[in-house]
Structures are given as C-alpha cells and as structure tokens.
C-alpha cells in the first residue's frame, strides 16, 4: 500500500540508502539535522501566541454578592446579624455593572424588603458612587438605558399595623454617580410631601399612582388600607398615544373597582384606528385589562372580557391637548363601537345608539330626540327669518362646549349641573332683509345650549346660543 506523501511525514521506503540516512539524522549526535529552523520557528510562535493570550486576558467581572457588604457599610450605621439579601437584577451601563437588591435587615424595624442599588467599575470591580438605599418591606425596581445614562424606576412600601408608608421615584446612574430626577431626593421635604398620600406600582414599564382612600385606620386596624387608582406617570413610553390612553383609564373604571387594594392594570394595547370623514376625527380603540381582589370571596376578579376604551382626535393631529375620551365598550366589533361613539346624530334622529355603550355625556340618549325638537322649534317660533339647514349632536364638541359653559359661561352663575346641560349644533341661513346679516348669509357650527326643565315634564329650554 502506498502511503500518502507530505513534507512532514517520514517516508519508510524499501531503499537501504535512504533508510540509513534517515536513521543517522535522527540518532547520531552532532549529525547534520534538518528541520531545526522549523522547530525554532514553531517554538517562537508558541511563546508569542502565549504572550498575546495573556495580554488579552481581561479582569474577572466583580461578583455582585461580594459588593453588598461594602455598599451596606456606606449606607447603614448598624447591621443585624440576621440580615439577608437577594439579587433582583443585574445590568451594565457604559462598562460598569449596576445591580438591584432586596435587602432584609433582620427585624421588622430594619425593613423586610429594602431596596439597594449599587454600581461597580467594570475594570477594577470597585464600588462607584454612593449606593441608593430605600427602606421598606416590599420593593420593586425597573431599569432602562437612555442617552443620559441608566434610568431606574423604583418603589417601596412599608406596612405597619395596617398602614402603608410608600416611597420611590426615578434615579439615574451616569459617570459613576447616582442622581435623583423625580420627585425629589429621599429624605427631603418634597419627597415626603409627595408620598404622604400616594402609592406607586410599576406596571407596563411605567408607574401607576394611587391615592389613599377615605378610611379610618383607627377602626380598620389590621386591615389593608384602601388605595384608589388615580393616574399613570409615563417614564419610558415612546408612543405618546399610550400616554393619552392611560390618562383616561381612571374615568372608565368603577370607583369600587379602582379603590380595591389589589387593583392593578394588566394591559393596555391598541386594537384599532378608525377615521371618520363626517366628523373629521380619528378614533382609537384600546384593549384594557385589569384585575382586583373581591373583598367578599378574596378571589381575583378579571376585567370584563373585550373591554375597550375609545379616544378620538382630529384626523392627522393626535395632539394630547385635543384628544378626548369617547367612552368604553365590551362590543367585540371595535369598529362598530367606534362609529357609534363618534357618530354625529342629525335631526330628525332615525335611530337610537346601542344602550349598552357607555356614554360619558351625563344623560340618557332618550333625552336627545326631545332636545333636538326643542332646538328646531327655536328657529320657527323665535325668528322666522332664520332658516334651519341642519341640526346635530356631536359628542366631542358637546364635551368642549359644556365645559366652557359650566366654567366660564352662564352655567357658572346659574348653578346648572352637568347632567342638565345639553349642547347641540346647527347650520342656518339668514333669509330676512339685509339688515343684521346679508340675505343668504350662513352661520355654521352654531351652538345651542339647552337646560333640562324640572317642571314635571323634564323638557328642555334654550338658555344660550352663539359661538
């Protein structure tokens, strides 16, 4: 069998001369050796590569657990031998290691779930900056990176004899330093005042804020305090529409649900966007899910299936200042619900909206038809020189005009209640002599404000009109 030939192999052929020369080269001292240069080159490369490997070796990353003791010595005057801690999460910021720990100080007075934030130099492994320490029995912390550093949103809750004391805020780690950005540095008067009657819960990457309910700790000793969902503060939401949706959540949740101690928003996602050429507005449907604890059974209760809230704004201009809540619905057909909530209802009305739709306007839709009839009669009885071209109810414009009437208009004087104020809109043409107006001149989007009459008939009467 013929062996393969390579420059590194020993060829054992049958020729005696070649075999003798090969053996002499291997075993005779002082003999002429071939391949010495290759051997020296190989040794040199081995040494050089070893040196390169040793140069590339990076220092071992710092062990988070070994840093806790040094961090606690900086922020605490006394430590209990029963103390313990657990790592919540670990991340990096510009090469430095940043960690969040839940720290149990031992006895309840030392906090059973304090929050400890620390950072260490990624090269030396030494602590950088003064660690952040928030006392409490429960803690939570969420981090995200931004151009100005690593942001951490954190909360703490201490419960003693049924009373919750809360804290937290936003702190940024950058260039080896921790800086509080909201609401204020812990221990300051502004910090204490802000959290005096508030509780924060990190949900969906932002902070849900609750206000203390109307309860008496002296009579409710040992029970959970009642916290009522108030609003949401956005910290890292890139989509402003989500912020607009979160701003209206509290308005569609029943008070007895939002006031439950275990209430929490679980999800809020955009389900559909619908344009309406008649109103010139866009409606967004947002799927809302939440849960809370039934005080009677202690079972967790989920939000109604298919619950959506509907927001609208001028098409092409989703400005938060021009965005309004239309209502909420469990209608599975979100496009249908959006149309019904945003639809302009013209006189005479040929249909009545779905009674199951939530309407935030403060009156039953059964009141709309008689109110329109009253408004239409104004143009016949009060001034025959005005020709009514169209009359309608607009949900968004109604909300705007009703607020202005009650805040700055006649409603601020006569004490009218919101549920007794109806605002309609009309287009009309002047058909009289060219005195006050030119004949044929129009007025568009003319508002008509009517008040409910409590005279037994519960009818409507015109109270004001104009722009």
């Amino acid at each position: 069998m013929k062996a393969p030939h390579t420059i590194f192999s020993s060829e054992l052929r049958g020729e005696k001369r070649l075999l003798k020369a090969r053996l002499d080269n291997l075993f005779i001292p002082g003999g002429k050796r071939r391949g010495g240069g290759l051997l020296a080159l190989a040794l040199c490369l081995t040494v050089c590569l070893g040196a390169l490997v040793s140069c590339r070796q990076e220092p071992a990353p710092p062990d988070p657990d070994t840093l806790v003791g040094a961090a606690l010595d900086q922020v605490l005057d006394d430590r209990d031998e029963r103390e313990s801690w657990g790592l919540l999460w670990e991340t990096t910021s510009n090469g430095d290691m940043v960690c969040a720990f839940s720290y149990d100080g031992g006895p309840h007075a030392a906090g059973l779930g304090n929050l400890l934030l620390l950072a260490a130099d990624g090269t030396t492994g030494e602590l950088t900056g003064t660690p952040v320490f928030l006392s409490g029995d429960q803690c939570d912390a969420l981090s995200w990176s931004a151009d100005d550093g690593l942001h951490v949103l954190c909360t703490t809750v201490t419960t003693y004899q049924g009373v919750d004391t809360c804290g937290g805020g936003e702190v940024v780690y950058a260039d080896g330093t921790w800086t509080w950005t909201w609401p204020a540095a812990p221990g300051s008067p502004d910090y204490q005042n802000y959290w005096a009657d508030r509780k924060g819960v990190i949900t969906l990457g932002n902070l849900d804020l609750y206000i203390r309910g109307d309860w008496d700790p002296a009579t409710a000793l040992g029970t959970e305090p009642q916290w009522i969902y108030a609003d949401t503060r956005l910290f890292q939401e890139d989509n402003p529409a989500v912020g607009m949706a979160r701003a209206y959540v509290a308005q569609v949740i029943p008070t007895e649900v939002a006031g439950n101690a275990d209430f929490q928003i679980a999800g809020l996602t955009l389900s559909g966007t619908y344009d309406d050429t008649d109103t010139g507005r866009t409606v967004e449907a947002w799927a809302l899910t939440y849960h809370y604890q039934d005080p009677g059974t202690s079972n967790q209760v989920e939000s109604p299936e298919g619950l959506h809230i509907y927001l609208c704004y001028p098409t092409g201009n989703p400005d938060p200042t021009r965005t309004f809540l239309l209502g909420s619905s469990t209608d599975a057909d979100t496009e249908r619900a959006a149309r019904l909530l945003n639809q302009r209802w013209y006189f005479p009305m040929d249909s009545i909206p779905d009674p199951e739709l939530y309407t935030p306007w403060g009156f039953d839709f059964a009141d709309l038809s008689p109110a329109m009839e009253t408004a239409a009669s104004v143009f016949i009885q009060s001034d025959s020189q005005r020709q009514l071209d169209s009359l309608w109810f607009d949900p968004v414009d109604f909300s705007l005009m009703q607020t202005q009437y009650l805040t700055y208009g006649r409603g601020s004087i006569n004490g009218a209640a919101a549920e007794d104020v109806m605002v309609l809109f009309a287009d009309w043409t002047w058909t009289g002599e060219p005195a006050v107006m030119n004949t044929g001149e129009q007025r568009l989007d003319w508002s008509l404000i009517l008040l409910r009459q409590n005279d037994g008939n519960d009818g409507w009467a015109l109270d004001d009109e104009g722009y």
Side-chain angles (χ1 to χ4, degrees):
M1 182 177 67
K2 185 177 180 180
H5 172 74
T6 70
I7 62 174
F8 299 106
S9 61
S10 297
E11 299 182 341
L12 299 178
R13 299 182 181 179
E15 300 180 17
K16 294 181 179 180
R17 180 178 57 83
L18 292 176
L19 179 59
K20 183 177 183 299
R22 180 61 178 157
L23 293 174
D24 288 344
N25 186 55
L26 290 173
F27 299 108
I28 297 175
K32 186 176 181 180
R33 305 287 180 90
R34 295 182 177 88
L38 290 175
L39 179 59
L41 178 60
L43 291 173
C44 182
L45 288 175
T46 301
V47 173
C48 292
L49 289 175
L52 289 175
V53 170
S54 63
C55 290
R56 289 184 176 180
Q57 287 181 346
E58 297 180 355
D63 179 14
D65 206 50
T66 61
L67 297 172
V68 175
L72 292 173
D73 286 339
Q74 289 192 36
V75 297
L76 295 179
D77 295 330
D78 299 301
R79 295 169 57 183
D80 193 282
E81 61 181 8
R82 294 168 291 177
E83 69 179 9
S84 61
W85 55 81
L87 180 65
L88 298 178
W89 47 257
E90 174 187 345
T91 187
T92 58
S93 177
N94 291 328
D96 292 347
M97 182 181 67
V98 183
C99 304
F101 288 87
S102 176
Y103 171 70
D104 186 340
H108 185 266
L112 303 179
N114 306 281
L115 177 65
L116 175 66
L117 301 176
L118 61 83
D121 187 283
T123 302
T124 65
E126 298 294 328
L127 287 174
T128 59
T130 301
V132 174
F133 186 87
L134 292 179
S135 61
D137 296 328
Q138 301 175 36
C139 66
D140 195 7
L142 173 73
S143 67
W144 68 93
S145 296
D147 294 339
D148 58 344
L150 182 74
H151 291 240
V152 180
L153 180 62
C154 51
T155 61
T156 60
V157 179
T158 300
T159 304
Y160 181 68
Q161 293 187 345
V163 180
D164 286 345
T165 303
C166 307
E170 182 187 33
V171 60
V172 177
Y173 176 76
D175 299 326
T177 303
W178 293 96
T179 304
W180 283 91
T181 60
W182 179 87
S188 66
D190 290 340
Y191 181 91
Q192 301 295 339
N193 292 336
Y194 185 85
W195 291 111
D197 292 302
R198 287 186 178 94
K199 179 179 182 179
V201 177
I202 300 175
T203 308
L204 305 179
N206 296 290
L207 191 67
D208 289 341
L209 292 170
Y210 297 75
I211 58 175
R212 198 179 297 275
D214 186 12
W215 66 289
D216 183 3
T219 58
L221 192 62
T223 62
E224 279 191 285
Q226 184 186 46
W227 291 98
I228 299 175
Y229 171 76
D231 56 20
T232 297
R233 184 177 177 88
L234 300 176
F235 285 88
Q236 56 167 336
E237 188 54 66
D238 295 329
N239 183 0
V242 177
M244 291 187 289
R246 293 295 291 267
Y248 289 103
V249 167
Q251 298 186 31
V252 300
I253 298 177
T255 303
E256 61 272 17
V257 173
N260 187 281
D262 191 47
F263 171 82
Q264 186 170 350
I265 298 172
L268 186 63
T269 56
L270 182 65
S271 299
T273 302
Y274 312 101
D275 295 332
D276 189 309
T277 56
D278 185 31
T279 63
R281 292 190 292 261
T282 296
V283 177
E284 294 180 346
W286 289 82
L288 171 65
T289 56
Y290 58 81
H291 60 78
Y292 63 98
Q293 183 176 338
D294 185 348
T297 63
S298 297
N299 295 328
Q300 190 175 78
V301 182
E302 303 295 332
S303 52
E305 184 176 356
L307 176 63
H308 285 77
I309 65 173
Y310 294 85
L311 308 181
C312 77
Y313 50 80
T315 300
N317 185 19
D319 185 340
T321 62
R322 305 187 67 185
T323 300
F324 299 90
L325 171 70
L326 284 181
S328 67
S329 172
T330 55
D331 193 335
D333 187 345
T334 57
E335 184 174 9
R336 169 181 174 273
R339 177 182 60 80
L340 289 175
L341 287 170
N342 184 40
Q343 180 178 348
R344 281 182 175 173
W345 301 89
Y346 289 90
F347 175 78
M349 293 181 62
D350 55 0
S351 62
I352 298 295
D354 188 339
E356 293 185 357
L357 285 174
Y358 169 81
T359 55
W361 306 307
F363 59 84
D364 193 300
F365 255 106
D367 292 331
L368 190 54
S369 184
M372 284 186 166
E373 292 175 359
T374 299
S377 67
V378 169
F379 291 88
I380 299 174
Q381 300 173 1
S382 64
D383 198 335
S384 59
Q385 294 181 312
R386 293 193 299 176
Q387 173 184 298
L388 179 63
D389 299 324
S390 60
L391 176 67
W392 69 90
F393 169 80
D394 184 284
V396 173
D397 291 341
F398 160 80
S399 298
L400 287 172
M401 291 300 298
Q402 184 193 58
T403 300
Q404 293 180 10
Y405 172 81
L406 293 173
T407 306
Y408 308 108
R410 291 166 57 90
S412 62
I413 301 174
N414 60 27
E419 60 269 19
D420 295 329
V421 177
M422 176 77 72
V423 183
L424 302 175
F425 301 89
D427 293 342
W428 56 271
T429 303
W430 179 259
T431 58
E433 296 295 326
V436 179
M437 297 172 57
N438 295 325
T439 304
E441 186 176 345
Q442 277 191 313
R443 289 289 185 267
L444 305 178
D445 297 328
W446 187 263
S447 63
L448 301 164
I449 301 176
L450 300 94
L451 294 182
R452 189 192 305 273
Q453 302 299 297
N454 297 318
D455 55 1
N457 296 323
D458 288 336
W460 298 88
L462 183 68
D463 184 68
D464 199 2
E465 63 176 302
Y467 289 122

